[in-house]
Amino acid sequence: MPSPPAGGAPSHGDPSHLLPPTLEPLITSWLTEDTPAFDVGGFVVGDTPAEARLLCKSRGIVAGVPFFNETFRMLGCQVEWLVKEGELIAGEGKKHVATVRGPARKILLGERVGLNVLARCSGIATQSNHLLTLLRTAGYPNTLAGTRKTTPGFRLPEKYAMLVGGCDPHRHSLSSMTMLKDNHIWAHRGAHAASTTDAAITAAIAAARAAGGFSVKIEVECQSVAEAQTAAAAGADVVMLDNFGAEEVAVAARELKERWGEKVLVEVSGGLTEENVGAYACEHVDVISSSSIHQGVRHVDFSLKVVQKGVEGDGAVDGKGESVEI
């Protein structure tokens, strides 16, 4: 099955080259969570050499391959892939997408961790690409981004999956870009007795610039066009039109671009889903961000099945369980 149209990072290189030099601390925490004490099932099967087939059983884009590979490498196993990351699997029956080889108990130690990360990442990549395709169809040429509303302890693979799907992961943490949300503005106004919201926005941006320096962008979440204009005038690099209606966005974004041009990026966010995102496809909007590409998405269904040696038909016994046959 051919891959979906390339976009974002995958059109320029291999997303796996973005990952840190080691994933061991992260994956060790996953393995420890799953096996905090004795592995009695592993004791039963021992270290007999074994082979297992990774089966994809639903439609989706394959993502999370580096995490899957590293999980099994750390356990002394080898993974041979039959598809490429970013490839779209049609979901017509079961498809054999990879083979894992190694000691039986080690394969089973990594099974659930590997499947969890692969299913989650593939689901996010699939939904990310789906929403991106809807926007491209609606004529929107700019950036679709995720959010920081990620699963605790799982942000790196989730952000990685957005990239595989062709989207922008948005900021990775509080430290990667300063975003002054409504709570920051309200808290600053209360703490410093600012007379108006506009005064609080201006003062908050000045404080953020002084602390973050020239290398850290500042984004301000705005509830009105007036707030957005104030933020832009005070030096914000990005203004977010938060929870605006589609028609309001078209007007506000045009006004901001007419006044500020490319000095200020315009981001739209809040309540955007596949049902309504096309209406926000406005030429003056630089970034559309939505948690719907990664939060609550449907996982892609994978299973890992050990090939039974010496069993006729290489399938499940007596009809129970799932056969490795395709």
Side-chain angles (χ1 to χ4, degrees):
M1 185 81 179
S3 299
S11 64
H12 296 277
D14 184 346
S16 69
H17 295 166
L18 288 163
L19 292 170
T22 178
L23 298 172
E24 285 194 12
L26 180 63
I27 293 173
T28 296
S29 71
W30 298 342
L31 292 170
T32 301
E33 177 186 55
D34 206 37
T35 312
F38 291 144
D39 175 21
V40 177
F43 170 80
V44 171
V45 301
D47 279 338
T48 303
E51 177 180 306
R53 293 177 184 172
L54 177 65
L55 308 176
C56 182
K57 302 182 291 180
S58 64
R59 185 180 188 278
I61 293 173
V62 177
V65 168
F67 302 95
F68 187 90
N69 288 350
E70 184 64 5
T71 295
F72 285 101
R73 186 202 67 78
M74 289 172 59
L75 293 168
C77 301
Q78 301 78 45
V79 182
E80 178 186 359
W81 284 92
L82 306 178
V83 300
K84 294 181 179 180
E85 185 166 60
E87 184 171 332
L88 177 63
I89 306 301
E92 299 169 355
K94 293 181 291 186
K95 182 177 177 64
H96 180 196
V97 295
T99 300
V100 182
R101 298 180 180 90
R105 72 181 183 91
K106 296 296 185 68
I107 291 177
L108 298 180
L109 271 173
E111 175 188 8
R112 180 43 52 199
V113 169
L115 290 176
N116 283 354
V117 69
L118 201 65
R120 178 75 177 143
C121 284
S122 297
I124 290 171
T126 303
Q127 183 62 17
S128 294
N129 192 264
H130 173 60
L131 210 68
L132 183 64
T133 299
L134 291 177
L135 283 170
R136 294 290 182 260
T137 301
Y140 182 70
N142 297 327
T143 300
L144 173 62
T147 72
R148 204 163 48 87
K149 298 175 183 177
T150 53
T151 307
F154 214 65
R155 179 169 293 172
L156 182 63
E158 291 184 355
K159 293 283 192 181
Y160 179 80
M162 295 176 216
L163 284 166
V164 173
C167 292
D168 189 299
H170 215 295
R171 61 176 182 159
H172 290 260
S173 68
L174 290 173
S175 301
S176 56
M177 180 174 72
T178 300
M179 183 183 289
L180 299 175
K181 299 175 73 67
D182 51 9
N183 281 332
H184 292 93
I185 302 303
W186 296 336
H188 186 276
R189 183 177 181 182
H192 297 275
S195 58
T196 63
T197 298
D198 284 354
I201 289 173
T202 300
I205 291 172
R209 184 70 70 197
F214 72 91
S215 64
V216 180
K217 282 188 175 182
I218 297 173
E219 178 168 9
V220 179
E221 181 183 87
C222 302
Q223 313 302 314
S224 67
V225 179
E227 288 187 6
Q229 293 286 8
T230 296
D237 301 290
V238 187
V239 293
M240 178 194 286
L241 307 179
D242 187 40
N243 289 304
F244 279 51
E247 292 182 2
E248 293 177 298
V249 162
V251 173
R254 185 183 68 251
E255 289 180 2
L256 287 162
K257 285 299 184 179
E258 286 176 350
R259 181 174 178 184
W260 303 104
E262 297 307 311
K263 292 181 179 179
V264 176
L265 293 179
V266 177
E267 178 179 346
V268 172
S269 191
L272 303 181
T273 66
E274 61 183 85
E275 286 77 22
N276 66 9
V277 72
Y280 290 82
C282 169
E283 63 176 319
H284 301 296
V285 172
D286 299 292
V287 181
I288 291 176
S289 60
S290 173
S291 62
S292 71
I293 67 173
H294 57 88
Q295 194 175 49
V297 302
R298 184 173 183 176
H299 290 188
V300 176
D301 190 10
F302 291 93
S303 63
L304 187 66
K305 290 299 173 183
V306 172
V307 177
Q308 299 184 64
K309 303 298 183 181
V311 176
E312 185 177 351
D314 195 28
V317 180
D318 296 330
K320 299 181 176 65
E322 181 184 2
S323 171
V324 297
E325 295 176 343
I326 307 302

